[in-house]
Amino acid sequence: MSSIELKPTIEADEWRTAQSQFDEAAELIKLEPWLRDVLREVQREFTCHFPVKLDNGHTRIFTGYRVQHNINRGPAKGGIRYHPDVSLNEVKALAMWMTWKCAVVNIPFGGAKGGIIVNPRELSLNELEHMTRRFATEISILIGSDRDIPAPDVNTDGQTMAWIMDTLSMHLGYSAPATVTGKPLEVGGSAGRVEATGRGVTICAVAALEHLGRAPHQTKVVVQGFGNVGSISAKLLEEAGCTIVAVSEDYGGIYNPLGLSIKRVLEYRAREKTLKGFPGAKEVGNQDLLTLDCDLLVPAAIGNQLTSRNARDVKAKLIVEGANGPTTPEADAIFRERGIFLVPDILANAGGVTVSYFEWVQDLQSFFWSEHEVNQKLKAILSRAFNEVLKTREERKLDMRMAAYVQAVSRVAGATRERGLYP
Ligand code: NAD
């Protein structure tokens, strides 16, 4: 069956994508069959259905998940997402990607992820806090500073992390800041964490441009998603000299082929709570945005945006994946065939987990670093990882995704092999 004939629902199954990427890497490194069986499954998957009392006095039942894919290299690490489309398969895939992400940048964590099926915009702040605290209690049997450490993801932020940290601390009877990362500075957060994922995207994009022999000031950029990752990536890429021609949120985006001032877009969005109506820009739909004329495309919203339906129409010659899983295997094959240079999610957006690791280390030591120190250490780790992946790509004649997978899967397999099978 050709990729075009695949039903979009199958193509859009993140767990199928994650497993097929792993299978390809396992084959490339001739991984032993028993390790393939272990690593292509998640270790633990937890589902809970829990009640929350709403402001109107009614009770609503929510469904949430926490999945740990592999904890052989250290405690599990991964974000918590609030979105109506959250599913167990999506959370499993995101947990597996976290394992590879931590391994590709060589930080001592395993992979986890969590989520609640909810549109947070439908809840009041009070309801959101109650839902978060009850979910934190449900997953408290799994999480902890030496076991599994959550962080922000889609529709969750520092406030969400502060509520989770406070809930766990109340259970313990003392403050336990190292149980979550991405917290506000006041409760043990790290300088530079809010910007870390976008900063990592920018470090990878600039390194890729350099490899391709293109200067940032010759580079037109489209960014899908204008949340934490998208807006910071746009801001820092502009500071690096690129021209940002389009940005978007879930309802659509804005486009100006001559460039948008991201500072002004941020001010406008803060004031108007929308990108719509930004002066001097045309409106553009999220699908059309992906195929606009540009040199660099940064998908920084949600998964499955680049598929067999639009991959041939993408104009960018460089794609840097800010989001997790934005590209299906079918689209990946088309990009490979078209010679598009793609920096994969497990490398491109690893800046977030890297600074989360710094935050965890600072919390455990109760000794905090300056933002300059954080940014310097982040740059050193990401630049080294980028160069290692590039070297593997060239030595083994692979694309960047498979080169990153070869690095990551080899490291996790090595740890799993050394530890052996219990009992
Ligand atoms: P966020 O909630 O801050 O922002 C998400 C953005 O995507 C918003 O602008 C939203 O309007 C937009 N969006 C949602 N649905 C969309 C759709 N259907 N089409 C277009 N835009 C849509 O979330 P975030 O933290 O910026 O995460 C974005 C992506 O980056 C996710 O895939 C996440 O897993 C990944 N990521 C985040 C971090 C982090 O540190 N926050 C780290 C690594 C990876």
Side-chain angles (χ1 to χ4, degrees):
M1 188 160 57
S2 88
S3 59
I4 305 296
E5 287 162 349
L6 271 176
K7 286 202 182 81
T9 47
I10 298 173
E11 186 175 343
D13 181 338
E14 285 93 347
W15 183 233
R16 180 198 72 110
T17 299
Q19 285 195 315
S20 83
Q21 289 166 343
F22 166 74
D23 290 341
E24 199 179 331
E27 192 55 35
L28 277 167
I29 59 171
K30 302 272 170 272
L31 197 62
E32 305 95 295
W34 75 272
L35 274 171
R36 290 188 200 206
D37 292 344
V38 170
L39 296 180
R40 81 188 300 281
E41 249 317 333
V42 299
Q43 183 172 343
R44 296 171 180 152
E45 55 186 61
F46 174 79
T47 303
C48 53
H49 309 281
F50 57 95
V52 177
K53 195 172 264 183
L54 304 179
D55 293 345
N56 64 10
H58 293 156
T59 300
R60 180 170 157 192
I61 304 293
F62 290 90
T63 297
Y65 307 101
R66 185 74 186 169
V67 173
Q68 297 174 350
H69 168 252
N70 187 283
I71 50 174
N72 281 325
R73 297 181 67 256
K77 186 86 191 76
I80 291 178
R81 167 178 296 202
Y82 293 169
H83 198 277
D85 298 337
V86 163
S87 67
L88 183 56
N89 265 7
E90 181 193 53
V91 178
K92 282 168 66 173
L94 289 161
M96 185 192 261
W97 287 327
M98 284 306 297
T99 305
W100 311 139
K101 194 179 299 182
C102 295
V104 87
V105 289
N106 210 1
I107 56 176
F109 284 139
K113 202 80 181 192
I116 301 179
I117 305 173
V118 61
N119 179 356
R121 286 185 203 158
E122 288 170 0
L123 301 183
S124 69
L125 194 64
N126 183 49
E127 291 166 339
L128 206 55
E129 176 173 354
H130 283 104
M131 182 191 73
T132 301
R133 287 183 180 277
R134 178 61 191 248
F135 180 60
T137 304
E138 295 292 335
I139 62 172
S140 65
I141 54 173
L142 289 170
I143 63 179
S145 61
D146 51 2
R147 302 194 292 164
D148 180 351
I149 306 135
D153 193 72
V154 175
N155 291 328
T156 57
D157 57 13
Q159 175 64 82
T160 324
M161 296 306 116
W163 288 330
I164 296 177
M165 177 274 212
D166 184 70
T167 303
L168 295 171
S169 299
M170 287 296 146
H171 292 180
L172 292 166
Y174 54 87
S175 284
T179 48
V180 291
T181 60
K183 300 178 296 293
L185 288 176
E186 294 82 347
V187 289
S190 174
R193 174 60 184 91
V194 172
E195 298 80 16
T197 309
R199 189 172 294 281
V201 167
T202 307
I203 292 168
C204 288
V206 170
L209 285 171
E210 197 180 317
H211 170 73
L212 298 172
R214 177 177 277 275
H217 72 265
Q218 301 169 312
T219 306
K220 285 193 284 182
V221 187
V222 167
V223 181
Q224 187 197 41
F226 205 63
N228 173 279
V229 182
S231 68
I232 309 273
S233 300
K235 178 171 166 271
L236 296 179
L237 282 165
E238 185 183 49
E239 279 173 25
C242 299
T243 303
I244 317 299
V245 294
V247 297
S248 72
E249 292 215 281
D250 42 357
Y251 49 80
I254 50 173
Y255 173 51
N256 181 343
L258 299 176
L260 299 162
S261 158
I262 296 304
K263 186 170 168 281
R264 290 213 190 111
V265 175
L266 284 165
E267 284 166 3
Y268 181 88
R269 211 259 313 256
R271 201 172 55 241
E272 306 292 332
K273 310 282 175 246
T274 179
L275 297 173
K276 279 189 185 159
F278 181 73
K282 287 183 240 171
E283 288 191 7
V284 59
N286 260 309
Q287 285 309 307
D288 293 340
L289 174 120
L290 297 170
T291 56
L292 284 174
D293 185 30
C294 67
D295 307 296
L296 163 60
L297 175 63
V298 180
I302 51 167
N304 297 316
Q305 296 301 295
L306 298 165
T307 67
S308 56
R309 286 167 192 258
N310 58 14
R312 291 204 183 279
D313 301 323
V314 167
K315 310 283 183 312
K317 285 276 167 253
L318 169 62
I319 299 173
V320 179
E321 294 183 332
N324 285 308
T327 310
T328 66
E330 289 72 19
D332 237 348
I334 295 169
F335 293 149
R336 238 179 264 185
E337 178 197 311
R338 293 185 55 209
I340 292 175
F341 192 91
L342 184 149
V343 186
D345 45 8
I346 59 170
L347 173 62
N349 69 36
V353 76
T354 304
V355 176
S356 274
Y357 166 57
F358 298 160
E359 180 175 335
W360 179 74
V361 169
Q362 292 170 80
D363 286 338
L364 291 175
Q365 300 179 337
S366 294
F367 184 71
F368 290 86
W369 313 344
S370 70
E371 187 168 352
H372 177 70
E373 201 174 347
V374 168
N375 290 346
Q376 262 191 334
K377 286 185 162 70
L378 170 65
K379 184 150 193 233
I381 288 188
L382 274 192
S383 304
R384 188 192 59 207
F386 184 91
N387 288 329
E388 281 173 359
V389 171
L390 196 61
K391 190 159 169 261
T392 305
R393 169 187 182 264
E394 274 154 25
E395 280 170 5
R396 302 187 66 135
K397 308 268 173 285
L398 300 170
D399 63 6
M400 286 292 275
R401 190 184 311 280
M402 271 308 121
Y405 263 79
V406 162
Q407 288 276 344
V409 174
S410 302
R411 279 187 184 136
V412 178
T416 309
R417 200 183 288 115
E418 288 296 332
R419 287 178 63 150
L421 273 190
Y422 174 87

